[in-house]
Amino acid sequence: MALKVFRYQYENNKVYREFCDFLNTDVQKVKSLEKIPFLPIQFFKSHDVVSNTEAIQETFTSSGTTGMITSKHLVTDVSLYEQSYRLAFSEFYGNIEDYTVLALLPSYLERCGSSLIYMVKDLIELSNNEHSGFYLHNYDELIAKLIELDSSGQNVILIGVTYALLDLIEKQNFQLKNTIIMETGGMKGKRKEIIREELHSILSKGFSVSNIHSEYGMTELLSQAYSLGNGIFECPSWMQILVRDTEDALTYVDFGKTGGVNVIDLANINSCSFIATQDLGKKHSNNSFEILGRFDNSDIRGCNLMVM
């Protein structure tokens, strides 16, 4: 399927085709995933990356500080995004109606253009639960709600930007038994960066939970990978990770070795499904992967900038 999508996007995506031609790609000789050219993610800042001529339904934009050029993902069929994150969520967590969804994030109206907020807003609505909702600065209300729901035996998912989750446990130590804590990224300039093991240890202690879950997604992708603990991510079946050599972007490293993260996202059929990110990571033999950091001088970006 990925090879079919590659040929389709080569024919229909002007930006991607020019990039492939610049690499002297012989389309007929591309017969494996490793031979597919991966578009550098920076192209989403400078070009309109689209693979059809349909009207744009949604424009998702990355977070950024003042003066920063942000990425834009032009989405011609937002139902593909909805289908992707709904299926992925159910694959990893089951029926959304079994949960109360609490989001320690800006509300959708405060941050237009965020693909994360679009997803979480929809999950909140799909939960069909009167207690689900967004929280940002109203920490006291969130603390009371979280303790009340967890104590009642309700399954809760608290999705939060990392620094805000740390702020929350500094205000209140929790003893949670029925709540999943899901963090969505690093400090992004709001707090001192700390390694994942230390961060998850602090959060686990503060919430009294055994594992911290994580979501790996970005503006330029219509799919997400999830970690149910220990920073080990798994993809839904229509998404896959390859790890490229940091010194030679057209070659790949072995399992367990660190390199640049390339993402195949077949939900990106109408933009580009083959993206070379600025993340560093390593892949394991069972196709799970870890994110270890970012290339030097890559932009501060992501969910945490929404709350600055």
Side-chain angles (χ1 to χ4, degrees), residues 183-200:
E183 54 96 2
T184 64
M187 305 306 179
K188 314 300 186 193
K190 190 66 177 179
R191 278 178 177 242
K192 179 182 177 182
E193 292 284 348
I194 56 178
I195 62 172
R196 177 188 54 78
E197 289 83 356
E198 182 182 357
L199 168 67
H200 283 201

Side-chain angles (χ1 to χ4, degrees), residues 230-257:
N230 301 316
I232 306 297
F233 288 91
E234 295 186 29
C235 297
S237 58
W238 56 93
M239 180 183 181
Q240 192 172 137
I241 299 297
L242 301 176
V243 179
R244 67 184 186 272
D245 192 317
T246 55
E247 302 298 324
D248 180 0
L250 300 181
T251 63
Y252 293 91
V253 299
D254 295 332
F255 292 125
K257 292 189 175 181

Side-chain angles (χ1 to χ4, degrees), residues 18-117:
E18 289 182 359
F19 175 72
C20 291
D21 289 346
F22 182 78
L23 296 178
N24 294 317
T25 304
D26 186 340
V27 176
Q28 301 307 315
K29 291 183 178 179
V30 176
K31 297 180 187 264
S32 69
L33 300 185
E34 290 78 12
K35 295 296 184 183
I36 295 174
F38 282 74
L39 187 73
I41 199 166
Q42 297 93 320
F43 276 75
F44 282 83
K45 293 182 177 182
S46 55
H47 295 75
D48 291 345
V49 183
V50 289
S51 292
N52 62 25
T53 57
E54 302 298 317
I56 305 301
Q57 293 183 355
E58 291 282 343
T59 299
F60 293 131
T61 56
S62 61
S63 305
T65 55
T66 302
M68 181 186 294
I69 300 173
T70 57
S71 293
K72 61 182 185 299
H73 191 170
L74 305 178
V75 181
T76 58
D77 185 357
V78 76
S79 70
L80 279 176
Y81 181 45
E82 294 169 349
Q83 184 180 7
S84 177
Y85 65 66
R86 289 172 184 174
L87 284 172
F89 182 91
S90 65
E91 184 175 317
F92 287 95
Y93 294 100
N95 189 344
I96 184 63
E97 292 189 356
D98 292 337
Y99 297 93
T100 301
V101 179
L102 305 179
L104 190 51
L105 303 165
S107 76
Y108 183 63
L109 294 177
E110 290 173 318
R111 167 67 173 96
C112 292
S114 163
S115 57
L116 174 69
I117 298 300

